[in-house]
Amino acid sequence: FKSKILGILKDYVLITQKAGTGGTVNHVYWQKKGKKVTLKAAPKSKYKFVGWYKSGKKVSTKASYTITVKSAATYTAKFKKK
């Protein structure tokens, strides 16, 4: 039973989203490898969305950003005052 559970879990990875000051993000968490997932960020009043960042590198300037899950990753949504 344990090996069967571990076999299933190996196909899943953790996708973490963080929101910088001035906005919010949706939360995706555990996802199956190969699945398409849309990360969504929303700026608060008086802020604008700047981009999605992964490992310090900007990967998208769109607040709604679709990825194909390959490995565990952390995406950070950044915002700045208008």
Side-chain angles (χ1 to χ4, degrees), residues 12-16 29-31 33 54-55 69-75:
Y12 288 80
V13 295
L14 183 62
I15 301 297
T16 305
Y29 301 122
W30 291 97
Q31 294 295 330
K33 291 178 188 174
K54 179 181 174 189
S55 301
V69 176
K70 296 179 183 175
S71 61
T74 298
Y75 293 87

Side-chain angles (χ1 to χ4, degrees), residues 15-32:
I15 301 297
T16 305
Q17 295 175 76
K18 297 180 180 181
T21 301
T24 61
V25 296
N26 65 325
H27 297 282
V28 179
Y29 301 122
W30 291 97
Q31 294 295 330
K32 190 168 185 173

Side-chain angles (χ1 to χ4, degrees), residues 22 43-48 80-82:
K44 293 180 181 177
S45 178
K46 299 182 183 178
Y47 283 85
K48 68 178 185 174
K80 74 176 186 177
K81 285 194 172 192
K82 291 182 180 179

Side-chain angles (χ1 to χ4, degrees), residues 7 9 13 17 20-21 25 27 39-40 42 49 53 56 59 62 64:
L9 290 178
V13 295
Q17 295 175 76
T21 301
V25 296
H27 297 282
L39 312 178
K40 295 180 182 177
F49 177 76
Y53 290 76
V59 292
K62 296 183 179 182
S64 183

